[in-house]
Amino acid sequence: MPDSAALKEMAQKLRRHSLTSTSEAGSGHPTTCMSCAEIMSVLYFHEMRFDPKNPKARNVDEFIDSPLEGHPTPNSPWVRIATGSLGQGLSASVGIAIAKRVDKIPARVYCVLGDSESAEGSVWEAAELAAFYKLDNLVAILDANRLGQSGPTMLQHNLDGYLAKWVAFGWNAVSIDGHNVDEIKAALDKARATKGKPTAIVARTFKGRGVTFLEDKDNWHGKPLKKGEELNKALAEIGDPKVTIPVPSRFADGAAPSKNGSFSVDAPELAPTYAPGAEVATREAFGAALVKLGKVNPDVMGLDAEVKNSTFTDKFKAAFPDRFVDCYIAEQNMAGVALGLASEGKIPFASTFACFLTRAFDQIRMAGISKPAHLVFVGTHVGVSIGEDGASQMGLEDLSMFRSVIGSTVLYPSDAVSAERVTALAAATPGIVYLRMSRPKTKTLYTAQDKFVVGGSKTLRASQKDVATVVAAGITVYEALKAYDLLQKEGISIRVIDAYSVKPIDEATLRKSAGETKKLITVEDHQQAGGLGEAVAALGLAPKMLCVREVPRSGKPEELIEWAGISAKAIVAAVKA
Amino acid sequence: MPDSAALKEMAQKLRRHSLTSTSEAGSGHPTTCMSCAEIMSVLYFHEMRFDPKNPKARNVDEFIDSPLEGHPTPNSPWVRIATGSLGQGLSASVGIAIAKRVDKIPARVYCVLGDSESAEGSVWEAAELAAFYKLDNLVAILDANRLGQSGPTMLQHNLDGYLAKWVAFGWNAVSIDGHNVDEIKAALDKARATKGKPTAIVARTFKGRGVTFLEDKDNWHGKPLKKGEELNKALAEIGDPKVTIPVPSRFADGAAPSKNGSFSVDAPELAPTYAPGAEVATREAFGAALVKLGKVNPDVMGLDAEVKNSTFTDKFKAAFPDRFVDCYIAEQNMAGVALGLASEGKIPFASTFACFLTRAFDQIRMAGISKPAHLVFVGTHVGVSIGEDGASQMGLEDLSMFRSVIGSTVLYPSDAVSAERVTALAAATPGIVYLRMSRPKTKTLYTAQDKFVVGGSKTLRASQKDVATVVAAGITVYEALKAYDLLQKEGISIRVIDAYSVKPIDEATLRKSAGETKKLITVEDHQQAGGLGEAVAALGLAPKMLCVREVPRSGKPEELIEWAGISAKAIVAAVKA
């Protein structure tokens, strides 16, 4: 094991590297790297057990660098979670710590946080949940270097102020001199010995430490030094340490990494079993499907934000209590925890009301950059069709939000059968998947023999005489079918398409239909921007778009659907216009 | 002043009303109302000074009911801020408290929070800032009724646990029996006497208090009682109190409400003064414009989230330190504080990197439902054109996010002149306005004589021989102009439109151009969903859309613009295709 002198010298080497590399690139955050150099040296060259030859190993300690901006992204195999938007690293760390525990891997998780970034409320959501779940395999190290980007932080070097918060949130907390290698080691030893609580190490550090004209000076955030005189002056002070420290492969008690499960979406256990005409809400079907999935694939996990009796993830919790994480009313953290679970090979389903997923948009955005193997978000209670609870509870922008995540898949089933099918599809589709579920009970439209695919659609009504194509999804499929019946009475035929795959959308079917019928109408329980209508318009098909255009109020679902102009009557009027 | 017995009886009356009204409506949250009935009674009938005849008075105490779901919205004149998405009320309260202080109105602000909702990190962002700014005119009352929606809260009735958090975050904190009117009064008196710190009153309460089959029982969240036997049984226990308590008009020390400022966007002081061809980033021009606005309208206020030296709101801070609120790295709270300021008649400009505004999407969504008179969000560092800092710092979904806020206005200026003009426009436009600002320096394109309007656009190049119309905004206007020059060399003419008003978009000009030129191309530094291209497509104009289609990496701005396919070269290729 390296001695403290070697670790101290390594810290200087890390400082030198931060300066030279950022100067070469012309961008980066050297002064931030310089405040946590001792911490990084001790973590990587002394504390953490990992295999330098295998970034994919699971029975190893894990490191999350929460404040790291700009870079890095998972283009590097060692970086499984992209950071750069602050206050998100601790949530991911909580997810990783939970995954280790679920898989009985006695590894430890280390998260370095910036002091400035701990103003983010998401840090305190993560802290609360970590303490509640007694994650004693988790260590947070606060690099309290006093300076933010545009001035000092609120607490500056008030270490007791920081300690009080972590203790109040249920953590074991110690403060240290963050540039003292022996104090760092001792604090990490203490953390390891502490059972039943995670540990926060509040490290007093100085931004730009090691170079007199940088140390503890404002206005150097995110600024590389200019190559030449400025850089050389700094490097002269740092020195050019030649220390090397071999890092042996070490594991967390040698537990073998668990194999990931696999499953087929066509597995008989996953088949929906609804009687024809059964009235079941898609959210309820989702809840049932998640349990079935849980049975065929041990990697599936469920998360919820204190609405599990509304999203029906309570069924998954009852069936698999060890694979369910109740995140309480803290959606940002739920999204980050889900990403952490995903990075550990889990297939997380994170659910809440669609409108509350907007609380986690930055985390969802960052997840998109992280490109997880599997990460599913489920939003229920969408649109005006939720009824009486009113606008604050209505998801009206969730299709747009998830469509805007580059590489995402967005599925929006209309009935219980397709809801179960797309839930299974979601677990089999790489990357970020969004499932949109409705509140009201609806009749089944499909049978277990119907197939559903990403990028597909279902044509529910079609004839050679169709004067218009109505493209709907979710609750509006039923309105379109009612409109079909009303128009049939007048001898007018329309085509009805259930566009359950909003992204990618079934371009071929839509183009063909648009060509064959004179008019294209889209109808969605969602506002216009970025929704189903704009997705169809983006194909160049110029639809008449029916959607929610005013802030809704409280009312009965049927009244609101009428008010919003997305009802059967509105569809009929659009066909005839 | 009413005595405690009358206040206690009034609490029972409020309980009765909660039960009967929710049963009648068939929806609502009676058990939650029942836990805070004494608190509401004391606040409204004893503590708060307000004018029952005038909901618009400003020199009065203010009340925010943070956990109120479903209802209410500002359809009621007494509700200036819509709640329903949890954990947002305290932020708005902070904004209101700051506004009172700025206007030297010695009123007090009372915010009732739910215990379950205080898992939301935004609550702790607000708590931190309130203590940092020593808002001793602010009182938070935590209705700790132990039960959330789907089960108990994490802390249940651990009052010391709650107290420790508020104290750690810098508040004065006391715990009380939340059903004891005298204890509530005493705590409020203590809060009023406490200087230099806000006060949190942690009230131990019981959900469903007053009815034995509801009190402290799980599974009654958000459930009205059935009319008939169930309701009658409850009402029999509550009784039918006939107490009335007259509420006199009372004011906070009789200070006259301040008149709102007004200004004209054509005021000479607001004219941009750039030399032709000056190279100035739109974010920098925004910074200058905000100062000019601050001079002509005292209601303008600035907020930032610790990037003020990048968004250039530091200039406003320097000019008007009392009208600037640094919100530190806590964007959710910044958005909520801005909404609170807006409800007090201010014209807030809340700025940060566009990508970090996604952190506040739920708050922005709720602000849309609140329909503030004026509320401006400013997002800088948009698109791949920020360069080296990489994907985590690039705003790629902000146009979509703000377009999806029903009733919003979205402006995206290309040069410094238009940036100043739209900043002034934003302050004059009702509702929520989003200004999108770029990082790189760009040449001025316009002069002080050019006019900019919401819903307008500028046609920068046009001729009778245009074979295509290129619709651009922000940085891509420059790419379009370069493409124009390249094509001119080949004898090909194109029309170039600066669509600085993304929402509402200049439909008339775009339709005309689409009709006159064979091809329509949109080009944006933003991904596809909900962006400029889809906004144009929504008009039925079937554009070829150039936009960011993959997760970007770090690189030089020019390289990334080329990589993303939104460069002059890409435009030329699209014209010729």
Side-chain angles (χ1 to χ4, degrees), chain A residues 298-380:
Chain A
D299 295 328
V300 169
M301 287 187 65
L303 302 92
D304 204 285
E306 230 289 76
V307 285
K308 55 190 180 287
N309 57 333
S310 299
T311 58
F312 292 100
T313 59
D314 54 357
K315 300 182 189 180
F316 188 90
K317 175 181 179 172
F320 307 102
D322 296 335
R323 287 158 56 188
F324 178 79
V325 186
D326 199 327
C327 296
Y328 295 88
I329 304 182
E331 298 79 11
Q332 291 186 93
N333 186 54
M334 176 173 76
V337 168
L339 179 63
L341 292 173
S343 78
E344 287 283 303
K346 303 300 179 192
I347 303 177
F349 279 72
S351 318
T352 184
F353 286 21
C355 62
F356 302 143
L357 286 173
T358 60
R359 198 61 158 263
F361 191 14
D362 197 16
Q363 280 77 3
I364 292 164
R365 179 184 78 86
M366 288 303 296
I369 294 171
S370 291
K371 296 184 186 170
H374 290 287
L375 178 47
V376 185
F377 290 98
V378 185
T380 67

Side-chain angles (χ1 to χ4, degrees), chain A residues 25-29 68-71 73 75 83-88 116-125 128-129 132 147-155 161 164-166 168-169 219 221 223 306-310 326-332 353 355-356 358-363 365-366 368-369 371 388-397 400-401 403-407 527-531 534-535 537-543 545 548-554 556, chain B residues 25-29 68-71 73 75 83-88 116-125 128-129 132 147-155 161 164-166 168-169 219 221 223 306-310 326-332 353 355-356 358-363 365-366 368-369 371 388-397 400-401 403-407 527-531 534-535 537-543 545 548-554 556:
Chain A
S27 83
H29 298 70
L68 215 61
E69 289 178 54
H71 318 253
T73 63
N75 291 326
T83 47
S85 182
L86 303 178
Q88 300 194 20
S116 205
E117 80 168 312
S118 60
E120 284 288 10
S122 50
V123 170
W124 301 102
E125 293 179 13
E128 179 82 15
L129 204 74
F132 184 70
L147 295 173
Q149 166 174 317
S150 65
T153 59
M154 284 187 274
L155 281 180
K165 288 178 170 176
W166 289 96
F169 273 70
N219 284 319
H221 178 90
K223 289 187 185 147
E306 230 289 76
V307 285
K308 55 190 180 287
N309 57 333
S310 299
D326 199 327
C327 296
Y328 295 88
I329 304 182
E331 298 79 11
Q332 291 186 93
F353 286 21
C355 62
F356 302 143
T358 60
R359 198 61 158 263
F361 191 14
D362 197 16
Q363 280 77 3
R365 179 184 78 86
M366 288 303 296
I369 294 171
K371 296 184 186 170
E388 288 82 351
D389 273 355
S392 69
Q393 318 284 295
M394 295 171 173
L396 294 167
E397 50 286 292
S400 170
M401 182 171 81
R403 282 188 67 234
S404 75
V405 177
I406 294 173
Q527 52 71 48
Q528 179 185 315
E534 288 199 352
L539 302 176
L541 297 178
M545 297 181 296
V548 180
R549 297 188 180 282
E550 302 293 334
V551 174
R553 50 177 169 72
S554 171
K556 292 188 176 27
Chain B
S27 82
H29 298 71
L68 215 61
E69 290 178 54
H71 319 254
T73 63
N75 290 326
T83 46
S85 181
L86 303 177
Q88 300 194 22
S116 204
E117 82 169 310
S118 59
E120 285 286 12
S122 51
V123 170
W124 302 101
E125 294 179 12
E128 180 83 16
L129 205 75
F132 184 70
L147 296 172
Q149 165 173 320
S150 64
T153 60
M154 284 186 275
L155 282 180
K165 288 179 171 176
W166 289 96
F169 273 70
N219 283 320
H221 178 90
K223 290 188 183 141
E306 230 287 78
V307 285
K308 55 190 180 287
N309 57 331
S310 299
D326 198 325
C327 297
Y328 294 87
I329 304 183
E331 296 80 11
Q332 289 186 92
F353 287 21
C355 63
F356 302 143
T358 60
R359 198 60 159 265
F361 191 13
D362 198 15
Q363 280 79 2
R365 179 183 78 87
M366 288 302 297
I369 295 171
K371 296 184 186 172
E388 289 81 351
D389 273 355
S392 69
Q393 318 284 294
M394 294 171 175
L396 294 167
E397 51 286 290
S400 170
M401 181 171 81
R403 281 188 68 235
S404 75
V405 177
I406 294 173
Q527 52 71 49
Q528 179 184 315
E534 289 198 351
L539 302 177
L541 297 178
M545 297 182 296
V548 180
R549 294 186 182 283
E550 302 292 335
V551 175
R553 49 176 169 75
S554 171
K556 291 186 176 30

